[in-house]
């Protein structure tokens, strides 16, 4: 859906992207992470056809950003990290204006506006002026603006900034719903634990370059990672698990193993039964929730280097 080849971008005083190449598959949610100043916003602006590369190319759904920016704007939603809203206009007026500027015909505008407002929890506030909204509610309005025309590709720069915990959770659910409805999403954020909830791929950018040269698959929906913990030390834990059908052992010691395994309750039950039958005192067996964080720190070599506190 998105292809970037040897992208170089320069500000008058700095080279912000230094030869970035990447591929984003359709109907995926990709996390874009990296320290402050790494180039995330610049990359998103290039993907959104808002900046022309110094060299290299960016194509979105087959359209080159340099040659067909308007075709890309029509199929893309973009939430910038900083944006302005017309404070004197109501939520409804703002979304109506955005919908019509994307070419949604008048007869369909009300439905599109109300659907977008509902998706971000602003339906009850459709008549409230943007200037009277709190920071988090303004952020929700900006997200609604980015999705009102049901884009094929959605780029979100720090979408959860300013949102309360419930709104953050709702945003995670919304992202997955948008992906399931067919959208391709790229989301920049510093909050790795949150990205974990909905991203399957991660692009790490540092000093204008992609770390490791490509996106990393952090979550396999079909084969998630599980952590097996046993109460009695057994040096044969790894060998035992490796010999089971469908199990891949990522790492193991005498008490723990990190494995991938098909997402099937009956297959998990069978594996636990096998372990208990062989005398392994299973004290816990659960899905690993830190895949993205682990992958990030294994790539960038520790929090001290990245300056990422979360
Ligand atoms: P953050 O996490 O802090 O938002 P970022 O990863 O989004 O950072 P960018 O905003 O893309 O990083 O900045 C990449 C580099 O380009 C930085 O070195 C930044 O100082 C520089 N830069 C960004 N905008 C400009 C500008 N308008 N003029 C000159 N340099 C800029």
């Amino acid at each position: 859906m998105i292809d970037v080849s040897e992208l170089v971008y320069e500000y008058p005083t700095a080279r912000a992207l230094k030869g970035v190449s990447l591929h984003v598959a359709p109907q995926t949610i990709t996390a874009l992470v990296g320290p402050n100043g790494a180039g995330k916003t610049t990359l998103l602006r290039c993907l959104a056809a808002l900046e022309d590369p110094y060299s290299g190319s960016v194509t979105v759904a087959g359209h080159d950003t340099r040659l067909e920016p308007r075709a890309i704007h029509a199929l893309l939603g973009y939430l910038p990290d900083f944006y302005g809203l017309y404070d004197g206009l109501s939520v409804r007026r703002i979304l109506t204006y955005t919908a019509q500027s994307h070419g949604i015909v008048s007869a369909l505008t009300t439905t599109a506006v109300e659907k977008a407002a509902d998706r971000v929890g602003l339906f009850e506030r459709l008549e409230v002026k943007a200037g009277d909204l709190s920071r988090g509610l303004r952020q929700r309005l900006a997200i609604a603006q980015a999705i009102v025309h049901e884009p094929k590709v959605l780029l979100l720069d720090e979408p959860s900034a300013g949102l309360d915990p419930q709104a953050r959770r709702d945003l995670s659910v919304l992202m997955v719903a948008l992906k399931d409805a067919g959208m391709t999403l790229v989301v920049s954020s510093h909050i790795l634990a949150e990205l974990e909830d909905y991203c399957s791929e991660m692009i790490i950018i540092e000093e204008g370059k992609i770390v490791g040269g490509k996106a990393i698959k952090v979550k396999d929906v079909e084969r998630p990672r599980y952590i097996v913990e046993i109460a009695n030390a057994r040096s044969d834990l790894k060998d035992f698990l490796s010999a089971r059908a469908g199990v891949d052992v990522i790492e193991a010691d005498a008490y723990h193993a990190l494995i991938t395994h098909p997402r099937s309750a009956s297959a998990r039950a069978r594996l636990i039964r096998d372990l208990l039958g062989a005398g392994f005192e299973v004290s816990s067996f659960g899905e690993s929730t830190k895949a993205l964080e682990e992958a990030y720190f294994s790539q960038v070599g520790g929090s001290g280097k990245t300056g990422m506190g979360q």
Side-chain angles (χ1 to χ4, degrees):
M1 181 56 84
I2 300 174
D3 281 291
V4 178
S5 174
E6 291 300 322
L7 169 64
V8 174
Y9 184 84
E10 283 188 348
Y11 292 104
T13 50
R15 179 167 282 209
L17 299 174
K18 302 170 184 168
V20 166
S21 298
L22 60 94
H23 171 74
V24 176
Q27 232 190 328
T28 51
I29 311 181
T30 301
L32 179 60
V33 297
N36 293 128
K40 301 181 293 296
T41 295
T42 308
L43 177 57
L44 287 176
R45 288 184 60 77
C46 289
L47 300 185
L50 296 171
E51 307 285 358
D52 272 347
Y54 172 80
S55 63
S57 68
V58 179
T59 59
V60 179
H63 303 284
D64 187 300
T65 54
R66 239 197 283 245
L67 303 176
E68 301 174 274
R70 289 192 179 278
I72 293 171
H73 296 159
L75 60 82
L76 183 131
Y78 173 53
L79 173 76
D81 52 351
F82 295 102
Y83 50 83
L85 295 170
Y86 291 104
D87 283 348
L89 298 186
S90 67
V91 170
R92 184 184 293 279
R93 287 283 300 278
I94 289 176
L95 291 178
T96 300
Y97 175 76
T98 310
Q100 290 182 343
S101 69
H102 277 296
I104 296 180
V105 294
S106 299
L108 299 177
T109 305
T110 304
T111 311
V113 164
E114 294 185 355
K115 184 174 178 188
D118 190 41
R119 276 175 152 167
V120 300
L122 280 181
F123 190 82
E124 307 298 323
R125 292 185 165 89
L126 272 165
E127 315 312 329
V128 175
K129 284 186 179 164
D132 295 335
L133 295 176
S134 69
R135 180 172 139 82
L137 294 175
R138 289 169 72 82
Q139 183 75 355
R140 295 193 209 186
L141 174 54
I143 295 167
Q145 276 190 297
I147 60 174
V148 71
H149 58 304
E150 305 267 341
K152 284 198 171 67
V153 175
L154 183 58
L155 309 176
L156 302 168
D157 203 346
E158 298 280 343
S160 59
L163 297 185
D164 65 39
Q166 182 61 48
R168 285 173 184 226
R169 181 170 293 179
D170 293 346
L171 181 65
S172 299
V173 173
L174 174 63
M175 305 249 203
V176 174
L178 295 175
K179 185 204 73 169
D180 290 345
M183 280 186 205
T184 305
L185 294 89
V186 180
V187 185
S188 121
S189 175
H190 290 290
I191 305 172
L192 297 178
E194 230 169 74
L195 292 167
E196 194 93 51
D197 290 344
Y198 49 81
C199 293
S200 54
E201 331 277 321
M202 173 170 61
I203 293 165
I204 304 174
I205 185 162
E206 254 192 324
E207 295 178 7
K209 291 189 183 143
I210 305 269
V211 176
K214 59 181 170 104
I216 303 163
K217 195 166 187 62
V218 285
K219 202 186 286 175
D220 188 333
V221 177
E222 306 297 324
R223 291 184 56 83
R225 293 171 171 217
Y226 294 95
I227 299 171
V228 183
E229 209 173 72
I230 56 170
N232 54 333
R234 288 276 297 259
S235 57
D236 59 338
L237 178 62
K238 182 175 182 180
D239 290 344
F240 183 85
L241 285 168
S242 302
R244 309 263 81 69
V247 176
D248 280 320
V249 180
I250 298 164
E251 57 187 43
D253 60 24
Y255 287 101
H256 312 90
L258 179 63
I259 63 170
T260 61
H261 190 253
R263 183 185 289 283
S264 147
S266 57
R268 282 200 301 282
R270 210 163 36 244
L271 181 57
I272 293 170
R273 205 169 51 228
D274 286 355
L275 282 160
L276 292 171
F280 294 93
E281 293 171 13
V282 179
S283 53
S284 125
F285 188 119
E287 193 169 335
S288 165
T289 54
K290 297 246 182 237
L292 191 137
E293 208 164 335
E294 281 162 8
Y296 181 87
F297 288 117
S298 76
Q299 290 287 323
V300 301
S303 57
K305 187 178 169 200
T306 67
M308 305 252 306
Q310 304 185 66

